[in-house]
C-alpha cells in the first residue's frame, strides 16, 4: 500500500518535470526551510506565470499533519490534471483565465518523511523540544485562538509560541505577501467533512453562508462522482473549537477558509480508496477555483444590502432585498429544503433584476432555505451570498404542527459489553453500531406525546438526528443505520441491553442511512411514509413513542469499530438543547360533522312561489322553474375557533319520469334570496357547488351530493364569521331549445331524505394571540438576558425567542432558537457581546399561530 504513495522527494521530481513541460503555466518554488533543512515547496499554476499575482487565487495546503497523506497526493494529481487538460478543456481554460492556483502540497515535509519511513501515525513536525521530545502540531501553532501549553509530548502541542515553527512562518509570510488569495483550502484526513473557519464567537458571521455554500457545492461535486455525502461543520456551538489553526489565521486575513477532511482513515488503502478520493476531489477543487474570482478581496462584486421576508403563507413566501441601482446586475435566488445545501443550477429558482421574489407552490409546514447573490451579467462575476433566510411555511388550513424532542430520561444508548448502561441516559451521545470494546450498541430515543390531541390524524412525520462526530468515531464504507418504532407493550427495560436487543420493532421508518451518508454537522432525516404514519398514530395512544436506532453489528477483520455518534443535546458532551433528537409532525383532527336542515324552501315559478316544495325544470311555456333553500349556520361553533374543512349539500330526488336532456346545478348564493322570479332568473352566478347532475344520472342514483370546492369553502368559512344566512338555488339547464313541461321534484317530507347541508369542521384557532409586553434586554453576569410579560390567555402555549445578527426575524425559524416555553425570560447563552443582533419574541397557541414578533435590537458593546 505505502509504495504507491509518493515520497516528498518523488513529488519534488514530478513538479520539476511539470515545470519543464509547462513553463508558461507552472512553477515550483521554495517558501522556506524546515528544521531538517527541507525546502517547503510551493506550486503556482497560472495562465501566465509572469502575471500570477494579478489574478485572485486559491491557496491549497496539504499534509500539515504528517500522517494525513492525502493532501500531498491530491496536490500532485490535481496539478497534473489541470496541466494535462488545460489545452483542450474550455472550462479549465476559463477557470485559469480568472484565477491563480497556489499549492503547498506538503506543509510538513519533515513529519511526512518521518511518517513514511519510521512511524505511520506521526502527526507533528520534527522540532526537538527542550525536554528532548519531538514535534509541534503545526496546526496549533498559528496565533488565532492559540493555547499555550507545556505538554510537549501531546499530539496537539502548539509549540512555545505562535509561529515558533519555520513551517508556519513560511505559510504566514506567503499568505501575507499575497493579497490576491481569496479562498484557502487545507486538506486533512479523515472524516468526510468540511470544517469551515469561525471567529471563536458563537454567532453566524456575514460570510458563514459563503463558507457553508462553498463547502456544500464542493460536497455536491463529490456526491456526483461517488455518491458519498460530506458533512459541513463549524464545530460550534459551544464546544470543541480548534485553537491556533491555519484555517482561522487565513480567515482572519479576510480569506474564505475551510479544512477538508478526506476519507475514513489517515492513510487509506491506495487502490481502493485513495484513487476514489482523488477522483471525487478534483471536480470539487475545480469548483473552488471557479469561485475564486467571486471572493476577490479587491475587485469583488459587493453583497446585496439586505434580504428579508415580507410574507409567509402555507404555500408561498415573499422575499425582498436591496441593491444599488445597476442595469448590469441581476440576482440569483436558490431554494433548498435542508440547511447547508448547495446552490447550483438544480435549485436556482429565480434569475431576476427585480428586488423582490414571490415563491409559490411550496408545501405547508415545511422548512425552506433561501440564498441570494448578485451577478454582473457583463463580467459574470458573482457577489458573495447574503446570510441565508430560513422560514417555515404555515400549516395548511386544516393542519397543526408539532415538534417533539427526546426526553432526557428516556434517551441514551446501550452497549452489549457494558453493565451499567443506565448511566448513559440523558448524559452521553448516542453511540450506534459496533465496537471491539463496547460490542453492539443501540440507541433509544423516547418522546412524550402528551400534547397530541387524541383525535389527531397524523399526515406527515419526520425523525431527525444530529450527527456530531465521525472523526473520532470510525466509519468504513459498509452497513446501514435504521430507526424503528418500538412496541411499548413488550419492550421491557430500555436501559438493559438484552431487552433492547429483543425489542419488537413495529415499523422501520423511512430509508436506511448508509455509512457514506452519515454527514457530520448536517441533520439526518428519516421521512415517514403514510403506512409508517399509521403505526406512529397507533402508538401515539400511549402518550409516548420509543424509537430504537441500530447500526451494523459486525466488524470487518482488522477494524476496531463501525460506530456513529449522534447528539442527544443533554449533558456535557452535547451541543445544547437545539441538537436534541426531534420529531416533526403535521396532523389534522377528525372533523365534527354537523347536519343543518333548511329553515325555508321554496319553488319559484314564473307565476307563483310555493312554500315547502322542491321542483326544478321547465313549465308548460318553457320557462325555468327554480328551487331555493335558506340555511342558518349559527348553530356551528364560533368562527375564531373553528375551521370548516369540508361541506356538501345532499338532495334526494323523487320519482324520475323524464328522459330529456336536462341538467341541474346548485348555486351557492351568499345572501338571503329575494323570492322574485325575475331577480332569480337574471341573477349573476356566484358559485356553482360541485358538478351539475343530469336527469339520467338521477334515475340511477336518487341521492345527489353537491360538494363545495375550495373557493366555495372559503366563502362558507367567511359566512361563519358573520353567522349570516346562506342560500342555494337549484336551477335547470338544457342544450335543447324548447323544452316544455318537464320537471323533477325532490324529497321534502321525510327528514332522512330531505335536503341538508353537511358541514365538517374542526376546532382550530384562526388568529395569533396578543404579543408579549414589557420586552426588555439587560446584561447579567456577562450574558444578554431577555425578559418579557406573557399575555394572559387560556390558549397561550408558549413564547419562542430567536436571534439573528443580520435581519429582524420575520419567520420563527429565521435564526438561532434561544427559547420556547412559558417562562418570561431567557439568556443568550454563549452569545457574543461585541456584535449587533436582533432578538425576536413570538407568542404561540396550539396550532401554532405565531404572533408578529416583538423585536429587540442589541447594540454591540
Ligand atoms: Zn489533520
Amino acid at each position: 500500500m505505502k509504495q504507491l504513495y509518493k515520497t516528498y522527494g518523488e513529488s519534488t521530481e514530478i513538479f520539476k518535470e511539470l515545470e519543464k513541460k509547462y513553463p508558461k503555466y507552472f512553477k515550483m518554488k521554495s517558501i522556506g526551510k524546515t528544521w531538517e533543512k527541507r525546502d517547503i515547496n510551493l506550486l503556482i499554476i497560472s495562465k501566465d506565470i509572469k502575471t500570477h499575482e494579478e489574478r485572485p487565487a486559491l491557496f491549497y495546503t496539504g499534509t500539515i499533519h504528517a500522517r494525513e497523506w492525502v493532501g500531498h497526493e491530491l496536490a500532485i494529481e490535481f496539478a497534473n490534471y489541470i496541466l494535462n487538460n488545460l489545452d483542450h478543456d474550455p472550462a479549465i481554460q476559463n477557470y485559469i483565465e480568472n484565477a491563480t492556483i497556489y499549492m503547498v502540497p506538503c506543509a510538513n515535509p519533515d513529519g511526512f518523511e518521518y511518517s513514511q519511513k519510521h512511524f505511520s501515525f506521526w502527526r507533528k513536525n520534527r522540532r526537538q523540544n527542550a525536554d528532548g521530545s519531538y514535534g509541534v502540531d503545526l496546526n496549533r501553532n498559528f496565533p488565532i485562538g492559540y493555547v499555550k501549553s507545556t505538554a510537549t509530548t501531546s499530539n496537539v502541542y502548539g509549540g512555545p509560541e505562535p509561529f515558533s515553527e519555520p513551517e508556519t512562518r513560511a505559510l504566514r509570510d506567503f499568505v501575507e505577501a499575497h493579497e490576491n488569495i481569496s479562498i484557502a483550502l487545507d486538506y486533512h484526513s479523515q472524516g468526510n467533512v468540511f470544517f469551515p473557519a469561525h471567529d471563536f464567537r458563537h454567532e453566524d458571521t456575514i460570510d458563514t453562508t459563503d463558507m457553508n455554500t462553498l463547502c456544500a457545492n464542493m460536497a455536491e461535486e463529490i456526491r456526483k462522482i461517488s455518491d458519498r455525502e460530506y458533512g459541513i461543520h463549524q464545530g460550534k456551538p459551544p464546544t470543541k473549537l480548534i485553537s491556533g489553526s491555519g484555517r482561522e489565521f487565513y480567515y482572519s486575513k479576510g480569506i474564505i477558509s475551510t479544512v477538508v477532511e478526506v476519507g475514513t482513515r489517515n492513510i487509506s488503502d491506495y487502490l481502493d480508496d485513495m484513487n476514489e478520493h482523488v477522483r471525487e476531489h478534483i471536480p470539487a477543487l475545480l469548483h473552488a477555483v471557479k469561485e475564486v474570482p467571486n471572493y476577490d478581496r479587491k475587485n469583488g462584486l459587493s453583497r446585496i444590502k439586505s434580504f428579508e421576508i415580507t410574507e409567509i403563507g402555507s404555500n408561498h413566501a415573499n422575499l425582498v432585498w436591496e441593491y444599488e441601482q445597476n442595469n448590469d446586475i441581476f440576482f440569483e435566488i436558490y431554494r433548498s429544503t435542508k440547511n447547508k445545501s448547495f446552490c447550483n443550477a438544480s435549485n436556482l429558482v429565480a434569475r431576476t433584476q427585480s428586488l423582490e421574489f414571490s415563491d409559490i407552490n411550496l408545501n405547508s409546514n415545511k422548512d425552506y432555505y433561501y440564498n441570494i447573490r448578485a451577478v454582473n451579467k457583463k463580467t459574470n462575476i458573482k457577489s458573495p451570498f447574503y446570510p441565508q433566510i430560513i422560514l417555515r411555511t404555515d400549516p395548511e388550513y386544516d393542519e397543526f404542527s408539532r415538534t417533539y424532542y427526546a426526553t432526557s430520561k428516556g434517551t441514551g444508548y446501550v452497549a452489549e459489553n457494558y453493565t451499567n448502561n443506565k448511566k448513559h441516559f440523558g448524559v452521553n451521545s448516542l453511540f450506534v453500531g459496533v465496537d471491539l470494546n463496547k460490542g453492539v450498541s443501540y440507541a433509544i430515543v423516547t418522546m412524550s406525546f402528551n400534547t397530541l390531541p387524541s383525535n389527531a390524524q397524523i399526515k406527515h412525520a419526520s425523525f431527525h438526528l444530529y450527527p456530531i462526530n465521525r472523526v473520532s468515531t470510525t466509519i468504513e464504507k459498509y452497513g446501514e443505520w435504521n430507526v424503528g418504532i418500538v412496541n411499548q407493550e413488550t419492550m421491557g427495560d430500555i436501559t438493559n441491553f438484552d431487552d433492547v436487543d429483543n425489542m419488537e420493532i413495529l415499523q422501520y421508518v423511512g430509508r436506511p442511512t448508509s455509512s457514506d451518508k452519515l454527514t457530520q454537522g448536517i441533520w439526518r432525516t428519516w421521512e415517514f411514509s403514510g403506512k409508517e404514519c399509521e403505526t406512529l398514530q397507533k402508538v401515539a395512544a400511549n402518550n409516548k413513542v420509543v424509537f430504537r436506532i441500530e447500526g451494523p453489528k459486525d466488524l470487518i477483520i482488522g477494524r476496531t469499530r463501525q460506530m456513529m455518534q449522534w447528539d442527544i443535546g443533554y449533558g456535557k458532551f452535547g451541543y445544547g438543547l437545539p441538537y436534541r433528537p426531534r420529531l416533526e409532525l403535521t396532523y389534522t383532527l377528525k372533523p365534527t360533522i354537523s347536519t343543518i336542515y333548511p329553515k325555508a324552501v321554496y319553488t319559484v315559478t314564473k307565476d307563483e312561489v310555493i312554500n315547502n316544495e322542491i321542483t326544478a325544470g321547465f313549465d308548460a311555456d318553457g320557462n325555468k322553474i327554480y328551487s331555493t333553500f335558506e340555511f342558518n349556520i349559527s348553530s356551528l361553533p364560533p368562527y375564531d375557533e373553528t375551521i370548516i374543512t369540508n361541506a356538501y349539500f345532499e338532495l334526494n330526488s323523487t320519482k324520475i319520469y323524464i328522459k330529456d336532456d336536462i341538467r341541474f346545478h346548485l348555486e351557492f348564493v351568499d345572501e338571503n334570496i329575494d323570492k322574485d322570479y325575475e331577480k332569480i332568473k337574471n341573477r349573476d352566478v356566484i358559485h356553482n357547488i360541485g358538478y351539475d347532475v343530469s336527469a339520467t344520472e338521477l334515475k340511477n342514483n336518487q341521492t345527489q351530493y353537491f360538494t363545495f370546492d375550495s373557493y366555495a369553502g372559503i366563502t362558507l368559512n367567511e359566512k361563519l364569521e358573520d353567522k349570516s344566512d346562506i342560500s342555494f338555488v337549484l336551477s335547470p339547464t338544457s342544450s335543447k331549445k324548447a323544452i316544455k313541461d318537464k320537471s323533477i321534484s325532490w324529497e321534502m317530507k321525510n327528514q332522512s331524505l330531505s335536503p341538508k347541508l353537511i358541514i365538517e369542521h374542526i376546532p382550530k384557532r384562526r388568529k395569533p394571540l396578543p404579543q408579549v409586553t414589557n420586552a426588555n434586554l439587560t446584561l447579567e453576569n456577562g450574558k444578554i438576558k431577555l425578559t418579557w410579560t406573557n399575555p394572559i390567555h387560556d390558549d397561550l402555549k408558549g413564547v419562542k425567542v430567536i436571534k439573528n445578527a443580520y435581519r429582524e426575524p420575520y419567520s420563527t425559524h429565521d435564526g438561532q432558537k434561544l427559547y420556547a416555553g412559558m417562562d418570561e425570560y431567557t439568556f443568550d447563552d454563549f452569545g457574543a457581546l461585541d456584535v449587533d443582533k436582533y432578538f425576536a419574541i413570538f407568542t404561540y397557541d396550539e396550532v401554532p399561530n405565531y404572533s408578529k414578533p416583538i423585536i429587540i435590537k442589541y447594540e454591540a458593546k
Side-chain angles (χ1 to χ4, degrees):
M1 164 179 95
K2 285 185 190 172
Q3 277 86 343
L4 294 169
Y5 281 93
K6 275 76 156 186
T7 64
Y8 197 65
E10 284 167 348
S11 75
T12 304
E13 289 309 310
I14 290 170
F15 298 136
K16 280 183 184 159
E17 287 302 311
L18 285 176
E19 214 171 27
K20 271 187 220 154
K21 204 169 164 192
Y22 301 101
K24 186 178 177 209
Y25 304 124
F26 184 81
K27 189 175 167 59
M28 175 172 71
K29 65 178 214 177
S30 172
I31 55 167
K33 294 231 186 246
T34 63
W35 288 108
E36 294 174 356
K37 304 292 175 231
R38 287 187 179 85
D39 279 316
I40 301 167
N41 292 334
L42 172 94
L43 315 179
I44 304 169
I45 302 175
S46 172
K47 74 162 182 173
D48 181 359
I49 284 300
K50 288 196 225 56
T51 61
H52 67 86
E53 288 177 341
E54 292 170 13
R55 284 171 290 284
L58 177 78
F59 184 54
Y60 172 111
T61 45
T63 313
I64 196 167
H65 287 144
R67 66 193 175 197
E68 300 172 14
W69 298 0
V70 64
H72 179 248
E73 204 64 39
L74 178 60
I76 300 166
E77 300 299 328
F78 187 56
N80 265 299
Y81 183 88
I82 296 260
L83 295 167
N84 295 337
N85 290 282
L86 186 57
D87 188 46
H88 61 267
D89 185 334
I92 294 179
Q93 285 161 9
N94 184 269
Y95 300 156
I96 296 303
E97 192 68 36
N98 298 302
T100 294
I101 300 168
Y102 298 130
M103 290 201 278
V104 178
C106 177
N108 181 7
D110 295 351
F112 178 52
E113 187 97 350
Y114 189 76
S115 164
Q116 287 200 322
K117 290 210 176 117
H118 302 286
F119 176 44
S120 299
F121 286 90
W122 188 253
R123 169 182 167 104
K124 301 188 284 185
N125 73 351
R126 293 299 293 165
R127 163 198 271 266
Q128 192 167 2
N129 295 315
D131 59 4
S133 68
Y134 276 91
V136 166
D137 182 345
L138 295 174
N139 209 33
R140 300 292 182 280
N141 187 240
F142 291 84
I144 312 296
Y146 172 84
V147 174
K148 199 170 173 69
S149 148
T150 52
T152 52
T153 55
S154 160
N155 247 338
V156 290
Y157 170 57
E161 67 202 22
F163 293 128
S164 59
E165 305 307 294
E167 295 90 347
T168 51
R169 284 197 300 272
L171 294 172
R172 173 195 66 191
D173 294 346
F174 181 78
V175 166
E176 288 185 340
H178 290 82
E179 288 186 11
N180 56 329
I181 295 172
S182 70
I183 294 176
L185 303 175
D186 190 20
Y187 273 79
H188 293 243
S189 57
Q190 41 85 23
N192 291 343
V193 62
F194 291 87
F195 289 122
H198 55 74
D199 65 359
F200 285 90
R201 284 185 296 217
H202 294 292
E203 309 281 355
D204 281 350
T205 50
I206 187 77
D207 45 20
T208 298
T209 298
D210 294 305
M211 289 189 283
N212 283 344
T213 308
L214 174 71
C215 297
N217 280 349
M218 292 176 71
E220 179 61 7
E221 295 298 325
I222 292 167
R223 195 201 57 76
K224 275 197 258 178
I225 301 293
S226 62
D227 207 31
R228 178 175 292 118
E229 291 183 25
Y230 264 60
I232 301 168
H233 198 204
Q234 226 174 1
K236 65 174 194 177
T239 50
K240 303 263 170 80
L241 292 174
I242 288 173
S243 51
S245 86
R247 167 188 69 187
E248 268 74 56
F249 174 70
Y250 310 139
Y251 182 56
S252 74
K253 298 283 167 188
I255 299 165
I256 294 295
S257 166
T258 184
V259 156
V260 191
E261 295 277 3
V262 180
T264 56
R265 347 192 66 207
N266 283 142
I267 303 162
S268 58
D269 183 300
Y270 200 101
L271 290 180
D272 230 18
D273 302 317
M274 189 57 219
N275 277 334
E276 189 167 301
H277 298 329
V278 167
R279 272 203 309 281
E280 65 190 8
H281 276 278
I282 283 177
L285 276 164
L286 286 173
H287 175 82
V289 177
K290 185 170 96 179
E291 283 291 335
V292 158
N294 302 331
Y295 290 97
D296 187 348
R297 283 186 277 166
K298 279 190 201 133
N299 304 309
L301 189 62
S302 62
R303 226 183 280 273
I304 63 160
K305 292 189 167 42
S306 71
F307 187 31
E308 313 229 336
I309 311 164
T310 55
E311 194 181 309
I312 301 171
S314 53
N315 306 110
H316 76 281
N318 296 347
L319 311 174
V320 296
W321 55 93
E322 290 171 50
Y323 205 79
E324 66 247 28
Q325 175 61 35
N326 183 341
N327 287 335
D328 292 339
I329 299 294
F330 68 91
F331 305 96
E332 290 181 343
I333 318 265
Y334 299 88
R335 180 225 293 154
S336 315
T337 51
K338 65 174 197 177
N339 199 6
K340 300 178 190 170
S341 173
F342 54 81
C343 292
N344 67 23
S346 68
N347 65 335
L348 178 66
V349 290
R351 271 201 184 101
T352 177
Q353 284 200 304
S354 166
L355 295 175
E356 58 187 354
F357 173 62
S358 184
D359 202 9
I360 53 175
N361 291 44
L362 302 178
N363 291 319
S364 60
N365 193 33
K366 194 171 170 70
D367 294 342
Y368 290 95
Y369 301 81
Y370 289 92
N371 285 299
I372 187 168
R373 72 198 308 190
V375 186
N376 184 311
K377 66 183 180 191
K378 291 210 171 122
T379 62
N380 205 30
I381 298 281
K382 301 183 181 195
S383 77
F385 288 92
Y386 196 81
Q388 169 177 269
I389 276 180
I390 312 170
L391 62 85
R392 177 172 290 187
T393 47
D394 293 340
E396 200 44 275
Y397 68 96
D398 63 341
E399 290 173 353
F400 299 77
S401 165
R402 283 281 183 287
T403 303
Y404 292 103
Y405 293 100
T407 62
S408 148
K409 254 169 80 182
T411 302
Y413 80 95
V414 293
E416 191 177 6
N417 299 338
Y418 282 5
T419 47
N420 192 3
N421 282 308
K422 223 184 196 97
K423 71 179 194 297
H424 302 144
F425 279 67
V427 182
N428 214 322
S429 322
L430 305 176
F431 289 91
V432 182
V434 56
D435 174 296
L436 211 52
N437 299 320
K438 287 186 168 102
V440 170
S441 63
Y442 295 99
I444 292 291
V445 173
T446 305
M447 290 170 180
S448 166
F449 262 22
N450 52 22
T451 63
L452 192 70
S454 57
N455 60 342
Q457 296 181 307
I458 297 169
K459 289 173 76 174
H460 305 289
S462 55
F463 180 80
H464 304 258
L465 285 178
Y466 192 71
I468 51 176
N469 196 337
R470 53 165 299 161
V471 174
S472 66
T473 54
T474 309
I475 306 284
E476 299 288 343
K477 198 177 172 179
Y478 75 93
E480 60 182 40
W481 279 256
N482 280 292
V483 175
I485 302 173
V486 173
N487 183 352
Q488 294 169 43
E489 319 299 326
T490 58
M491 76 181 177
D493 178 1
I494 58 171
T495 66
N496 176 296
F497 178 83
D498 289 332
D499 283 1
V500 172
D501 192 37
N502 290 321
M503 277 174 173
E504 183 198 350
I505 299 300
L506 295 172
Q507 183 93 55
Y508 285 96
V509 174
R511 302 275 312 143
T513 292
S514 60
S515 61
D516 55 358
K517 310 222 163 11
L518 292 167
T519 48
Q520 181 182 351
I522 298 178
W523 285 90
R524 194 79 211 159
T525 298
W526 285 262
E527 294 279 352
F528 288 59
S529 69
K531 202 92 202 126
E532 291 152 14
C533 284
E534 279 174 30
T535 306
L536 187 62
Q537 177 91 51
K538 276 186 209 135
V539 303
N542 299 316
N543 278 332
K544 70 173 180 185
V545 56
V546 179
F547 295 102
R548 186 181 77 181
I549 302 138
E550 60 191 76
K553 297 185 175 65
D554 300 304
L555 282 172
I556 290 177
I557 290 171
R559 307 288 198 267
T560 54
R561 49 187 170 171
Q562 179 75 348
M563 182 82 86
M564 190 59 205
Q565 187 181 359
W566 316 88
D567 201 357
I568 66 165
Y570 304 100
K572 63 179 172 175
F573 302 108
Y575 281 21
L577 296 181
Y579 297 89
R580 283 170 288 177
R582 65 174 211 276
L583 185 72
E584 299 280 1
L585 279 193
T586 306
Y587 67 88
T588 187
L589 297 175
K590 213 172 256 171
T592 304
I593 298 174
S594 296
T595 303
I596 300 174
Y597 295 96
K599 64 170 195 172
V601 172
Y602 296 98
T603 293
V604 183
T605 72
K606 193 166 187 340
D607 305 320
E608 58 179 339
V609 174
I610 309 157
N611 192 9
N612 269 342
E613 188 185 306
I614 314 172
T615 301
F618 295 88
D619 70 11
D621 300 323
N623 296 308
K624 286 184 178 179
I625 302 168
Y626 301 98
S627 285
T628 68
F629 309 84
E630 291 171 17
F631 291 88
N632 182 278
I633 57 171
S634 61
S635 60
L636 293 175
Y639 171 81
D640 279 349
E641 297 155 23
T642 306
I643 301 270
I644 296 172
T645 53
N646 199 8
Y648 43 98
F649 192 107
E650 181 187 327
L651 270 182
N652 291 281
S653 58
T654 55
K655 234 190 296 166
I656 309 296
Y657 58 92
I658 55 172
K659 289 188 182 127
D660 300 73
D661 179 24
I662 302 179
R663 303 184 72 84
F664 300 94
H665 61 254
L666 189 71
E667 287 175 31
F668 178 16
V669 185
D670 47 355
E671 64 203 40
N672 268 322
I673 291 266
D674 195 347
K675 286 163 284 290
D676 176 284
Y677 186 78
E678 288 304 314
K679 279 191 183 158
I680 289 176
K681 190 179 160 190
N682 297 320
R683 202 178 30 82
D684 290 335
V685 173
I686 310 284
H687 313 297
N688 281 333
I689 301 296
Y691 297 101
D692 55 352
V693 56
S694 70
T696 323
E697 283 162 343
L698 288 173
K699 202 179 291 177
N700 304 329
N701 202 348
Q702 187 193 19
T703 304
Q704 287 303 315
Y705 294 106
F706 296 89
T707 308
F708 283 57
D709 66 7
S710 35
Y711 185 56
I714 290 168
T715 312
L716 187 60
N717 271 289
E718 283 166 6
K719 292 283 127 190
L720 182 61
E721 182 168 24
D722 306 337
K723 292 273 184 184
S724 57
D725 289 351
I726 56 173
S727 304
F728 298 87
V729 174
L730 185 67
S731 58
T733 58
S734 177
S735 58
K736 286 187 186 154
K737 272 202 179 117
I739 294 197
K740 290 177 183 175
D741 208 12
K742 303 281 184 192
S743 62
I744 286 182
S745 292
W746 274 269
E747 294 281 356
M748 185 64 214
K749 306 277 179 316
N750 177 345
Q751 199 185 47
S752 72
L753 297 178
S754 77
K756 45 186 110 37
L757 183 59
I758 297 157
I759 296 181
E760 297 182 359
H761 53 94
I762 57 171
K764 182 183 171 187
R765 284 183 50 89
R766 288 176 185 264
K767 290 179 195 148
L769 293 162
Q771 295 170 300
V772 300
T773 50
N774 302 322
N776 197 14
L777 181 156
T778 50
L779 288 182
E780 197 174 297
N781 301 325
K783 281 184 193 172
I784 297 170
K785 182 184 188 182
L786 296 149
T787 53
W788 60 85
T789 306
N790 289 341
I792 295 170
H793 200 293
D794 287 347
D795 291 342
L796 182 73
K797 291 293 173 213
V799 163
K800 182 169 180 180
V801 183
I802 65 165
K803 72 167 170 179
N804 187 314
Y806 296 99
R807 61 185 149 257
E808 300 187 5
Y810 182 97
S811 160
T812 50
H813 287 72
D814 192 24
Q816 192 186 328
K817 176 181 158 186
L818 295 182
Y819 177 73
M822 289 296 270
D823 288 349
E824 297 187 314
Y825 73 94
T826 190
F827 288 95
D828 180 14
D829 281 319
F830 307 108
L833 295 179
D834 57 349
V835 293
D836 290 354
K837 50 194 157 181
Y838 299 95
F839 296 93
I841 311 172
F842 303 83
T843 63
Y844 60 90
D845 60 16
E846 97 285 318
V847 173
N849 294 298
Y850 288 99
S851 70
K852 288 265 179 308
I854 294 287
I855 306 273
I856 309 184
K857 184 170 186 193
Y858 170 80
E859 311 242 0
K861 291 283 177 295

